[in-house]
């Protein structure tokens, strides 16, 4: 397939949903108000030494108090959906007792009600990385009691908000949770066990996801008729040299190790991709042939397979793939990255955003949407995040307009030319916010937020008005032939 960068005029159907995204810890602040308990990002930030300039989300955009301002700008943009997350620590501060915090429930009920009243569909993520600290201390995702605790939390959310919410997501990016949290440890809680913990913790996260989906399916679907899924982050993995079969194979292997790790069990057959099982086992180097990758039982596979109603995709960038050589293998931590045996690189000609990982590769959007079409049976996809960073957050953000315009254009090609079943698109983020380990040094917002101003006013950048126009036009209408 020839992925061309030429601009393509086209509009999407009325049913296509356009939105913007946030997450609780990145915008809410009020970290210790109204009964909320401490979570791992509170602890990680307060410890110091982990986040640029030791920034914290203690106040962030202060959306806990200023959520009405968020509704105002959502309306101004004309979005059809708003994706945000619930904080487990607000709703069930101590999951070991399961007691529900009414103030936390009320906060989200007010928010969700106001979003609906504005004519906007809420798209609610149950878990966007803010694990209650008490659960981390009790053995984290490795302690299987977390599966029932997570299911209980999901039950509380479905029962209180299910009548208002059509789109649910169980987890945001389990790859980041497990690899960056417990593998390389640049994200909370900062644990560095790349050989073992990501695999063990991912295993239980997949089980948590399946529990929540089945709970909704058996207990809530008939009443509320919503859709429950998971959001996976992935680069598009392209062969470094597409005429080399070993590079093509490496690209497929890298994709199976990243998106396939979670998508294959859920969307295909209840189990990890065969290539991942093979490569982890051979790199486990055990005499008895056992693997660092855990195994699902037959009944677990049956329980996990098919636990989706759509496919949530977070996509930002592209990587080039070739078989790993010895020097590359020696340069990566032993474990997940080494198990893959793929050398990942970027083309130095690609433009770079402020985030070190974020190379600007619009055709990768079309590539990854086609990967999902062919590997996951053309399941309906909502792009739940796509966006780009700068450092200064200028209001005249032509770079962001250029990025969004070309990525959205590739999405439109994927839908109209390639017949990918994409039903929604979401910009990360509506406003500048707490960008995890980068603190407030990298800005993704369509709206500028001055973090030195106690009022945290939200000010539209040029990209906000650009996106408003795209939504109103449903894409890029053909201007017709001039002259
Ligand atoms: C999303 O993660 C998050 O869901 C969102 O909260 C966040 O604000 C947004 O993106 C912007 O970052 O190559 O080892 O350096 C995006 C997922 C995070 C995956 C950074 C790649 C770099 C890993 N990406 N990560 S590394």
């Amino acid at each position: 397939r020839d992925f061309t960068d030429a601009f393509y005029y086209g509009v999407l159907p009325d049913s296509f949903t356009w939105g913007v995204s946030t997450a609780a810890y990145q915008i809410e602040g009020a970290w210790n108000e109204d009964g909320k308990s401490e979570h791992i990002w509170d602890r990680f930030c307060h410890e110091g030494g982990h986040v640029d300039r030791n920034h914290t989300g203690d106040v962030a955009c202060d959306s806990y108090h200023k959520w009405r301002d968020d509704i105002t700008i959502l309306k101004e943009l004309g979005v059809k959906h708003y994706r945000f997350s619930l904080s487990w620590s607000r709703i069930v501060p101590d999951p070991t007792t399961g007691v529900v915090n009414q103030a936390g429930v009320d906060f989200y009920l007010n928010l969700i009600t106001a979003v609906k009243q504005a004519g906007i569909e809420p798209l609610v993520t149950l878990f966007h990385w803010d694990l209650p600290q008490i659960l981390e201390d009790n053995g984290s995702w490795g302690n299987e009691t977390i599966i029932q605790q997570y299911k209980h939390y999901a039950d509380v959310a479905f029962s209180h908000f299910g009548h208002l919410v059509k789109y649910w997501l169980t987890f945001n990016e389990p790859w980041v949770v497990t690899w960056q949290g417990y593998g390389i440890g640049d994200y909370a809680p900062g644990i560095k066990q790349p050989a073992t913990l990501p695999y063990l913790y991912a295993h239980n996260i997949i089980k948590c996801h399946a529990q929540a989906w089945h709970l909704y399916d058996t207990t809530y679907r008939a009443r509320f008729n919503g859709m429950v899924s998971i959001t996976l982050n992935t680069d598009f993995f392209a062969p470094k040299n597409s005429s080399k079969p070993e590079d093509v194979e490496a690209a497929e292997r890298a994709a199976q190790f990243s998106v396939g790790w979670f998508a294959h069990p859920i969307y295909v057959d209840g189990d990890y991709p065969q290539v991942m099982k093979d490569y982890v086992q051979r790199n486990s180097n055990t005499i008895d042939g056992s693997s660092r990758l855990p195994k699902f039982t037959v009944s677990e596979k049956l329980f996990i397979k098919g636990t989706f109603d759509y496919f949530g995709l977070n996509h930002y960038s592209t990587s080039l793939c070739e078989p790993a050589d010895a020097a590359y293998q020696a340069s990566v931590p032993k474990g997940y990255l080494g198990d893959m045996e793929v050398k990942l690189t970027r083309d130095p000609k690609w433009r770079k955003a402020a985030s070190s990982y974020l190379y600007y590769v619009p055709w990768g959007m079309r590539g990854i949407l086609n990967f999902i079409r062919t590997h996951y049976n053309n399941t309906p996809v909502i792009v739940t995040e796509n966006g780009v960073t700068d450092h200064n957050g200028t209001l005249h953000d032509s770079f962001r307009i250029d990025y969004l315009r070309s990525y959205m254009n590739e999405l439109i090609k994927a839908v109209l030319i390639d017949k990918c079943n994409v039903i929604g698109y979401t910009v990360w983020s509506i406003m500048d916010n707490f960008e995890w380990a980068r603190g407030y040094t990298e800005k993704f917002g369509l709206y500028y937020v001055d973090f030195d101003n106690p009022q945290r006013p939200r000010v539209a950048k040029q990209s906000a008005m650009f996106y408003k126009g795209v939504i109103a036009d449903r894409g890029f209408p053909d201007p017709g032939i001039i002259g």
Side-chain angles (χ1 to χ4, degrees):
R1 180 180 305 275
D2 176 31
F3 291 120
T4 151
D5 277 328
F7 195 79
Y8 180 82
Y9 288 105
V11 295
L12 296 176
D14 246 338
S15 56
F16 189 88
T17 180
W18 303 88
V20 286
S21 187
T22 61
Y25 187 62
Q26 296 181 270
I27 65 164
E28 284 178 3
W31 77 278
N32 60 356
E33 280 180 51
D34 293 344
K36 175 186 162 298
S37 65
E38 183 191 29
H39 57 57
I40 58 172
W41 273 94
D42 293 318
R43 176 72 61 94
F44 192 67
C45 293
H46 292 156
E47 249 168 29
H50 302 299
V51 175
D52 292 354
R53 301 183 202 170
N54 286 329
H55 285 159
T56 77
D58 288 359
V59 181
C61 304
D62 201 19
S63 288
Y64 189 74
H65 302 109
K66 301 195 181 308
W67 56 271
R68 290 174 190 83
D69 295 2
D70 298 343
I71 309 269
T72 303
I73 58 176
L74 287 163
K75 283 177 26 189
E76 183 169 76
L77 279 175
V79 292
K80 294 197 189 178
H81 70 268
Y82 175 40
R83 173 177 182 245
F84 57 93
S85 77
L86 310 180
S87 182
W88 192 346
S89 295
R90 281 196 203 287
I91 294 175
V92 187
D94 181 354
T96 67
T97 68
V99 176
V100 174
N101 176 31
Q102 192 57 45
V105 170
D106 289 345
F107 168 66
Y108 291 114
L109 206 51
N110 289 335
L111 173 65
I112 294 169
T113 304
V115 169
K116 292 284 284 190
Q117 277 168 359
I120 297 166
E121 286 294 342
L123 198 164
V124 178
T125 311
L126 290 174
F127 182 81
H128 201 124
W129 307 355
D130 43 359
L131 185 70
Q133 183 66 39
I134 187 165
L135 294 186
E136 181 59 31
D137 296 341
N138 279 355
S140 194
W141 299 102
N143 180 341
E144 293 214 347
T145 59
I146 202 169
I147 298 168
Q148 289 309 316
Q149 291 158 337
Y150 178 83
K151 184 181 173 188
H152 167 69
Y153 164 55
D155 199 11
V156 174
F158 294 154
S159 65
H160 284 89
F161 314 126
H163 61 299
L164 298 169
V165 176
K166 184 164 160 203
Y167 302 106
W168 291 95
L169 289 166
T170 55
F171 286 88
N172 180 68
E173 303 184 343
W175 185 95
V176 172
V177 173
T178 56
W179 178 244
Q180 297 192 237
Y182 305 90
I184 52 176
D186 63 332
Y187 283 2
I191 292 169
K192 298 179 171 55
Q193 295 289 340
T196 52
L197 290 190
Y199 294 134
L200 291 173
Y201 287 9
H203 204 63
N204 284 337
I205 287 177
I206 292 168
K207 293 185 197 179
C208 289
H209 159 81
Q211 286 288 352
W213 187 89
H214 279 288
L215 171 68
Y216 190 88
D217 196 51
T218 55
T219 311
Y220 296 99
R221 186 183 299 282
R223 237 183 307 159
F224 300 144
N225 200 27
M227 311 216 288
V228 182
S229 194
I230 189 166
T231 273
L232 305 179
N233 62 293
T234 185
D235 274 18
F236 178 55
F237 295 96
K240 181 160 188 199
N241 178 342
S242 54
S243 56
K244 282 189 176 172
E246 63 271 32
D247 289 10
V248 173
E249 202 182 301
E252 175 71 18
R253 192 159 71 245
Q256 292 297 351
F257 260 84
S258 11
V259 61
W261 184 3
F262 303 93
H264 203 275
I266 295 168
Y267 294 88
V268 182
D269 66 1
D271 199 3
Y272 299 116
Q274 189 61 45
V275 71
M276 185 172 187
K277 294 197 283 188
D278 293 345
Y279 275 69
V280 181
Q281 184 186 39
R282 84 180 203 198
N283 283 292
S284 294
N285 268 323
T286 53
I287 294 162
D288 63 357
S290 61
S291 175
R292 282 180 278 103
L293 186 67
K295 292 184 171 56
F296 292 117
T297 64
V298 172
S299 63
E300 285 169 345
K301 286 182 207 171
L302 286 170
F303 189 71
I304 292 163
K305 178 184 172 185
T307 53
F308 66 89
D309 301 313
Y310 62 103
F311 194 114
L313 170 72
N314 290 354
H315 176 73
Y316 291 87
S317 194
T318 287
S319 294
L320 298 177
C321 306
E322 61 195 299
D325 53 27
Y328 181 79
Q329 287 299 84
S331 75
V332 298
K334 273 204 192 336
Y336 171 78
L337 268 187
D339 295 342
M340 192 189 303
E341 298 185 31
V342 178
K343 181 175 181 179
L344 299 171
T345 53
R346 263 61 191 265
D347 186 330
K349 291 195 292 292
W350 291 340
R351 276 185 284 173
K352 279 186 77 172
S355 308
S356 61
Y357 70 89
L358 216 172
Y359 287 76
Y360 174 155
V361 194
W363 50 265
M365 174 64 94
R366 189 173 176 188
I368 188 62
L369 291 171
N370 275 282
F371 180 93
I372 293 169
R373 177 176 63 77
T374 55
H375 287 70
Y376 307 117
N377 200 23
N378 211 9
T379 301
V381 175
I382 298 180
V383 174
T384 41
E385 287 183 26
N386 174 239
V388 71
T389 34
D390 48 39
H391 283 301
N392 48 15
T394 168
L395 299 181
H396 305 289
D397 55 343
S398 53
F399 177 75
R400 179 167 292 101
I401 294 174
D402 197 21
Y403 176 102
L404 293 175
R405 183 173 189 269
S406 53
Y407 271 69
M408 288 191 280
N409 198 243
E410 295 297 319
L411 180 148
I412 287 175
K413 291 177 193 172
V415 176
L416 298 181
I417 301 172
D418 309 334
K419 308 298 172 204
C420 293
N421 191 5
V422 188
I423 60 171
Y425 171 83
T426 317
V427 171
W428 182 274
S429 175
I430 187 167
M431 60 190 158
D432 296 338
N433 58 44
F434 177 77
E435 178 48 30
W436 307 113
R438 300 285 78 77
Y440 301 99
T441 67
E442 290 179 3
K443 322 274 191 178
F444 274 94
L446 298 174
Y447 283 74
Y448 170 82
V449 178
D450 178 357
F451 293 96
D452 295 323
N453 182 333
Q455 296 308 317
R456 300 293 195 276
R458 287 88 163 114
V459 180
K461 303 180 189 177
Q462 266 174 7
S463 59
M465 292 307 117
F466 160 74
Y467 189 42
K468 182 185 169 85
V470 174
I471 297 170
D473 285 347
R474 296 190 282 127
F476 307 103
D478 193 325
I481 293 158
I482 296 159

